[in-house]
Amino acid sequence: MALFKKNIWLAFYITVIFWSIFTTVAAYYTYQNVYQDITLEQANITKISAKSLQSSFQQYETILNLVAAELTRRGSLDDKNSVYNTLNTAVEMDQTIVAFVIFNVRGEPIVSAPLLPIPDQSSLLNTSQTKDTFKATLKVEGVVLGRTYYSDIIGEIILPFRKTVRDREGKVLFVLSLSISLKEGFDYFINNVQESLVYNTFLYRKMDRYFQLAPFDKIYDKNIYNYQIPLAVIKKSIALPVENKGESYNFIEHGSEIVYHEINLPAKHSITASAYLDRYQLWLITEVEFNVIRQLFLQKVIIILVLYVFSLSIMFILFRSIALNQENKSKALTYQATHDFLTNLYNRFYLEQYFKEFKKNELFSVIFINIDNFKLINESYGHAQGDKILKDVALRLKDIVATDDLLVRISSDEFVIVSNENNRPLIEYFCRKIVQSFGVVFRSDGIEIAISASIAVSSAPQDGATVDIIMRNVDLAMYQAKKTKNCVSFYEHRLLTEYLYNNDVENELKKALEKNEFYLVYQPQLGISNNLKGVEALLRWNNSKLGNIPPDIFIPIAEKSGYMNIIGEFVIRRSLEDVHELKQQTGRQFDLSINVSVKQLQNADFYTVMVALLERFKFDASTVLLEVTESVLIEDIEQVRATIIKLKERDLRISLDDFGTGYSSLTILKNLPIDELKIDKSFVFDMLIDSKTFSMVEGIIAISQKLKIITVAEGIETEEVKKALKNLGCDIYQGYYFSKPLNKEGLKKYLQNYLIG
Ligand code: C2E
Ligand code: CA
Ligand code: CA
């Protein structure tokens, strides 16, 4: 079955072979049938013809014998009238008798009925047709059948039956001759033979090989009876088979058997059935041309052949439709397996197969396209619109790619183009075209949606020798692109170094808490008159292998790899513990600002842990500020909002960190209960260099004052900046100008000095 499915055509060929064998066998048996039918009928015709000829011959013999007996009784022909009457009675009695003549031993006619205009000196011994047989008649007592010939006197072809009349001593007195009309006497035979187009029957004389009755098409041709069949032909048609059978010629002649022989001459290919009429020494031959058998066979076999061709055609159509169906099915399956159902582009599976063909150091580029914030599009407009946009993106990309480029949708909003170009300027130009095509707004159901894409490129062989390396590179480049979004990022070796370093960082992070590598530093925050307002706890990590790693590096990695919660919990516990201890030791009161990652706020346990730790150190919650980064907050504002409100109910305060660097700073101010706002240090650094930045800082402070939110400026490094901020009405000041972040001991000294100061 599996074989049949595999190769339906093999099944077809086997069927054809079987069917052909079957048809050949059927054709063979049909031929045998036709052959047998014909030869059987041929034998019957031969037998019947032999019998009827013999009986009609015997009839004439009887007449001759009767007349001979009568004339013998009379002893002479003296009473010519009476003799004539006797002969005439016989002629009138039988229509087939055209003449009854008595000849003397010299072959000269004596009496004839009817009266014939016989010329003088005419003698049977004078004509070649009659001479021999007349002589033969004289020699025997019985009836002798003379050669068939055309008699001028009678005016038609006749068969002469002759018999001698003798005296008591046996001396021949005269010869009786009965002339039988070929037309009248053998019409039954001629008609029979003529009716059949299949068989050709004739009678010839064994003695002298002349036709007694010629084949029907020449039966009335008087010349044919002068034709002596060559001995060679006779030998081939009768003598040979008899010799082959090893039987005596005599036996066949005297038996009633029919002898078959196939004559295969260039001019004639036929089967003859021969019967010997012993009494008259005649061979009766019925001949069938092989062509006739062939034609009859063809008539029958044509039906079989038509059936054969017809059934094979039907089978062929059937098999072909099965094969086509299978082919279509497998094509459809292959299509399904290798294509993306939404965009009809190739899919990831196909890409994998496609890459398998690639050799080492092949020249190509992979261009990786990732739609920015696609999740947001799905959430805001619904998945149906999202799908429409993806289709539109696919169409736009299709328009741009070269015919021999491969365009693949590898996952929901990710597309890959494999180009066989690695020339950087050309690829850059190509990427620009992609960016441009995204620049046109997407329209769907009357909605206009602006989307952008991040594009990453890596080219072989310059970036790597194998497909795997190039795909890893393009991922690294995409990671880079996603940091800014809506840009093209080409792979650079630096990205790999960074990636490997980040990997190391991640691995070391896992063990950092256990190895007690984390500690906290605290940076003082001062009021307008340099009075201590609070400290910001900042995390430090001194790793045994990688050395001091800045939080800007490891915090995002901790966030991504899921360690932020436990690390964050460490920061809260340790800072509460440290500050609690320092407050007791120094007797100073000040606020504690703790940086909190949005990952922590998203965690359901954060609130519980926070409250538990506050209670454990009997810490006054109203002195704690949680610094939340604005740029991260935007993504999950609804989720985080609830937690923030609960924390605020517990008297904790919220500080919005890095204000101004995100997109929707003002939206957050409006939606969240913010107590404090931290102007990002990048603004503080530039405010005296760049007037626009100055105006922004001015604006931020003005808005905060309106909203009754406290402003903190971080990154103050000079007195000028401090003064400028003071003039604008900033509330709290933090920066190296006042103090770098201090470890616990340093902060203790700072507090003590501060006390003194
Ligand atoms: P941030 O919250 O904006 O922290 C202020 C950063 O500015 C600190 O860097 C601090 O050392 C630095 N800084 C303060 N004054 C000056 C100045 O006058 N000049 C200059 N050049 N820098 C100044 P740091 O400690 O390297 O921290 C970097 C960032 O790492 C922080 O930015 C914060 O986002 C994150 N981070 C630090 N500790 C934690 C933590 O415990 N939890 C969380 N979630 N994030 C933390
Ligand atoms: Ca901070
Ligand atoms: Ca900050």
Side-chain angles (χ1 to χ4, degrees):
M1 194 63 204
L3 184 73
F4 270 46
K5 259 191 180 167
K6 225 181 195 175
N7 199 342
I8 192 81
W9 289 114
L10 182 69
F12 177 70
Y13 296 139
I14 290 170
T15 315
V16 169
I17 289 168
F18 274 114
W19 200 229
S20 301
I21 291 170
F22 177 77
T23 306
T24 310
V25 170
Y28 174 76
Y29 278 107
T30 305
Y31 179 79
Q32 291 293 319
N33 256 351
V34 168
Y35 189 94
Q36 266 170 19
D37 282 357
I38 286 198
T39 49
L40 200 73
E41 199 181 351
Q42 187 186 21
N44 282 338
I45 285 174
T46 313
K47 275 182 196 159
I48 291 165
S49 299
K51 257 191 199 139
S52 58
L53 283 172
Q54 194 133 358
S55 73
S56 80
F57 287 175
Q58 262 165 4
Q59 196 187 315
Y60 299 127
E61 221 178 290
T62 310
I63 295 169
L64 272 179
N65 285 338
L66 283 172
V67 173
E70 167 81 19
L71 292 179
T72 309
R73 200 161 27 83
R74 290 193 199 172
S76 80
L77 302 173
D78 295 345
D79 188 353
K80 286 233 169 109
N81 254 348
S82 156
V83 172
Y84 172 80
N85 281 343
T86 309
L87 299 186
N88 204 38
T89 311
V91 172
E92 280 174 356
M93 211 171 64
D94 191 332
Q95 276 201 339
T96 66
I97 303 170
V98 284
F100 205 157
V101 185
I102 299 176
F103 293 90
N104 62 22
V105 288
R106 289 180 304 279
E108 294 153 357
I110 306 166
V111 187
S112 80
L115 290 168
L116 296 167
I118 301 166
D120 286 346
Q121 270 141 25
S122 84
S123 165
L124 293 184
L125 290 170
N126 288 345
T127 21
S128 61
Q129 287 106 322
T130 52
K131 188 173 77 187
D132 293 338
T133 52
F134 185 75
K135 276 184 190 162
T137 314
L138 294 175
K139 283 183 194 148
V140 294
E141 269 184 55
V143 172
V144 172
L145 182 53
R147 275 174 57 187
T148 305
Y149 73 101
Y150 179 78
S151 163
D152 290 329
I153 298 160
I154 297 165
E156 61 176 293
I157 299 170
I158 56 161
L159 277 80
F161 286 81
R162 302 199 186 100
K163 183 181 164 64
T164 52
V165 176
R166 296 165 192 258
D167 61 12
R168 285 206 182 107
E169 283 79 44
K171 191 172 154 252
V172 178
L173 297 175
F174 43 80
V175 180
L176 297 179
S177 179
L178 201 56
S179 299
I180 308 300
S181 161
L182 171 70
K183 204 177 266 165
E184 301 292 331
F186 298 94
D187 56 347
Y188 68 92
F189 175 78
I190 294 161
N191 288 343
N192 269 355
V193 178
Q194 265 175 347
E195 263 172 30
S196 161
L197 293 170
V198 178
Y199 307 100
N200 201 1
T201 307
F202 58 91
L203 198 59
Y204 79 89
R205 304 163 59 81
K206 188 210 162 194
M207 183 176 42
D208 46 23
R209 307 190 308 278
Y210 287 104
F211 284 114
Q212 197 75 58
L213 293 171
F216 78 91
D217 54 335
K218 294 223 174 82
I219 199 156
Y220 293 120
D221 176 354
K222 53 189 174 190
N223 292 324
I224 192 77
Y225 295 101
N226 289 330
Y227 169 77
Q228 196 173 22
I229 305 168
L231 197 64
V233 174
I234 298 290
K235 272 194 171 168
K236 279 218 163 113
S237 61
I238 294 162
L240 190 77
V242 171
E243 275 166 23
N244 283 352
K245 277 189 170 181
E247 291 160 10
S248 79
Y249 194 55
N250 209 32
F251 170 80
I252 298 297
E253 282 183 5
H254 297 284
S256 55
E257 206 175 320
I258 287 174
V259 182
Y260 286 102
H261 178 52
E262 193 178 320
I263 304 174
N264 203 347
L265 299 170
K268 199 185 196 91
H269 187 195
S270 60
I271 302 169
T272 57
S274 312
Y276 190 65
L277 275 61
D278 190 21
R279 192 181 175 95
Y280 304 100
Q281 297 188 22
L282 295 172
W283 276 103
L284 177 69
I285 313 286
T286 306
E287 190 181 46
V288 184
E289 294 268 341
F290 244 98
N291 270 343
V292 172
I293 297 179
R294 227 170 271 145
Q295 255 166 28
L296 277 175
F297 165 67
L298 278 180
Q299 274 169 19
K300 288 198 171 176
V301 92
I302 202 98
I303 298 169
I304 294 175
L305 285 179
V306 165
L307 272 175
Y308 171 77
V309 171
F310 181 72
S311 55
L312 276 191
S313 308
I314 297 244
M315 264 190 276
F316 174 74
I317 291 167
L318 203 83
F319 275 87
R320 200 185 52 174
S321 88
I322 293 171
L324 273 178
N325 201 14
Q326 270 184 13
E327 204 179 298
N328 286 343
K329 260 190 200 161
S330 82
K331 263 189 195 162
L333 279 178
T334 316
Y335 187 87
Q336 261 177 31
T338 54
H339 285 75
D340 163 43
F341 72 97
L342 181 69
T343 60
N344 282 331
L345 297 180
Y346 284 112
N347 60 14
R348 179 188 286 274
F349 174 75
Y350 182 82
L351 183 67
E352 280 164 12
Q353 306 302 311
Y354 183 77
F355 275 146
K356 276 184 187 156
E357 313 276 302
F358 279 46
K359 289 175 201 76
K360 224 177 167 187
N361 288 323
E362 194 132 345
L363 185 155
F364 69 99
S365 291
V366 172
I367 299 153
F368 187 14
I369 302 150
N370 188 312
I371 299 173
D372 296 331
N373 302 319
F374 189 70
K375 204 176 150 225
L376 223 69
I377 292 168
N378 265 339
E379 281 165 5
S380 339
Y381 301 100
H383 284 262
Q385 292 295 348
D387 284 355
K388 278 184 187 171
I389 283 184
L390 287 174
K391 278 189 197 171
D392 200 351
V393 167
L395 284 178
R396 290 185 190 195
L397 291 177
K398 244 187 210 168
D399 273 352
I400 300 168
V401 294
T403 39
D404 45 0
D405 286 352
L406 178 75
L407 173 60
V408 181
R409 180 186 175 218
I410 57 166
S411 73
S412 78
D413 62 342
E414 292 178 323
F415 297 83
V416 159
I417 295 166
V418 182
S419 164
N420 45 25
E421 183 60 67
N422 74 346
N423 175 284
R424 175 82 180 250
L426 282 178
I427 296 286
E428 258 174 48
Y429 172 72
F430 180 65
C431 290
R432 223 175 300 134
K433 279 202 328 200
I434 299 174
V435 172
Q436 271 167 17
S437 88
F438 274 85
V440 181
V441 265
F442 288 77
R443 278 192 187 80
S444 165
D445 301 339
I447 310 167
E448 288 192 349
I449 303 169
I451 67 169
S452 63
S454 301
I455 300 170
V457 183
S458 180
S459 300
Q462 63 263 47
D463 292 346
T466 66
V467 166
D468 284 346
I469 293 173
I470 294 297
M471 285 312 275
R472 183 211 60 197
N473 290 351
V474 90
D475 270 343
L476 293 174
M478 179 53 81
Y479 180 70
Q480 183 68 15
K482 277 291 170 190
K483 285 182 183 166
T484 15
K485 290 181 180 165
N486 194 20
C487 66
V488 183
S489 156
F490 283 81
Y491 170 77
E492 294 164 68
H493 187 66
R494 169 183 68 85
L495 296 176
L496 179 63
T497 321
E498 261 175 41
Y499 168 77
L500 294 175
Y501 177 75
N502 286 354
N503 245 3
D504 274 354
V505 169
E506 191 182 327
N507 284 330
E508 290 302 316
L509 257 182
K510 288 181 199 169
K511 304 172 271 181
L513 267 178
E514 268 175 50
K515 287 162 77 182
N516 207 14
E517 291 178 344
F518 287 126
Y519 64 95
L520 291 173
V521 292
Y522 302 93
Q523 188 173 30
Q525 297 175 330
L526 307 174
I528 301 174
S529 48
N530 285 352
N531 52 318
L532 181 70
K533 282 278 185 182
V535 293
E536 179 183 2
L538 294 161
L539 185 58
R540 293 290 175 263
W541 178 26
N542 186 8
N543 178 251
S544 53
K545 182 175 158 193
L546 302 168
N548 281 318
I549 304 152
D552 286 331
I553 301 282
F554 74 81
I555 295 288
I557 295 171
E559 283 177 336
K560 218 178 295 136
S561 50
Y563 301 123
M564 200 54 231
N565 279 312
I566 42 165
I567 294 173
E569 201 180 315
F570 164 83
V571 172
I572 297 165
R573 184 186 292 113
R574 179 63 58 83
S575 61
L576 290 179
E577 192 182 335
D578 284 352
V579 170
H580 175 73
E581 198 184 315
L582 289 173
K583 277 181 176 171
Q584 280 190 338
Q585 286 172 1
T586 61
R588 292 303 307 175
Q589 290 305 310
F590 53 93
D591 293 341
L592 169 63
S593 290
I594 303 171
N595 289 290
V596 172
S597 158
V598 75
K599 296 277 173 224
Q600 291 170 266
L601 286 174
Q602 282 169 341
N603 182 12
D605 290 341
F606 179 74
Y607 171 79
T608 330
V609 170
M610 188 77 226
V611 171
L613 288 171
L614 284 169
E615 270 172 15
R616 182 165 152 194
F617 298 105
K618 306 248 169 342
F619 214 98
D620 178 3
S622 67
T623 65
V624 177
L625 285 116
L626 298 180
E627 291 193 9
V628 185
T629 307
E630 171 239 29
S631 60
V632 191
L633 249 182
I634 176 75
E635 289 178 18
D636 297 282
I637 193 158
E638 284 308 317
Q639 244 192 321
V640 168
R641 196 181 141 87
T643 315
I644 286 179
I645 288 171
K646 277 207 288 182
L647 290 164
K648 281 211 46 111
E649 280 167 3
R650 281 278 180 164
D651 286 344
L652 281 131
R653 281 180 288 159
I654 305 299
S655 173
L656 193 53
D657 206 352
D658 302 344
F659 189 81
T661 55
Y663 293 111
S664 321
S665 314
L666 291 171
T667 318
I668 294 175
L669 272 188
K670 199 184 126 206
N671 289 320
L672 288 179
I674 302 294
D675 302 283
E676 182 186 274
L677 190 151
K678 288 187 84 170
I679 304 167
D680 190 64
K681 55 183 176 290
S682 60
F683 294 103
V684 176
F685 290 158
D686 291 351
M687 65 180 289
L688 294 186
I689 303 161
D690 179 40
S691 63
K692 261 190 196 160
T693 313
F694 186 88
S695 307
M696 277 179 78
V697 174
E698 192 178 17
I700 292 169
I701 294 170
I703 289 170
S704 306
Q705 282 172 345
K706 275 229 171 77
L707 295 173
K708 303 218 166 11
I709 294 174
I710 291 184
T711 45
V712 182
E714 64 179 5
I716 301 166
E717 293 185 350
T718 60
E719 193 174 357
E720 290 75 38
V721 173
K722 192 228 157 173
K723 275 185 182 157
L725 286 162
K726 199 175 171 183
N727 288 339
L728 292 174
C730 180
D731 300 308
I732 296 172
Y733 306 83
Q734 177 183 355
Y736 293 172
Y737 173 70
F738 305 101
S739 169
K740 288 208 168 185
L742 306 162
N743 62 18
K744 193 178 155 194
E745 281 311 306
L747 181 60
K748 189 177 172 183
K749 276 184 194 140
Y750 178 90
L751 290 170
Q752 284 164 345
N753 287 343
Y754 175 81
L755 254 180
I756 297 158

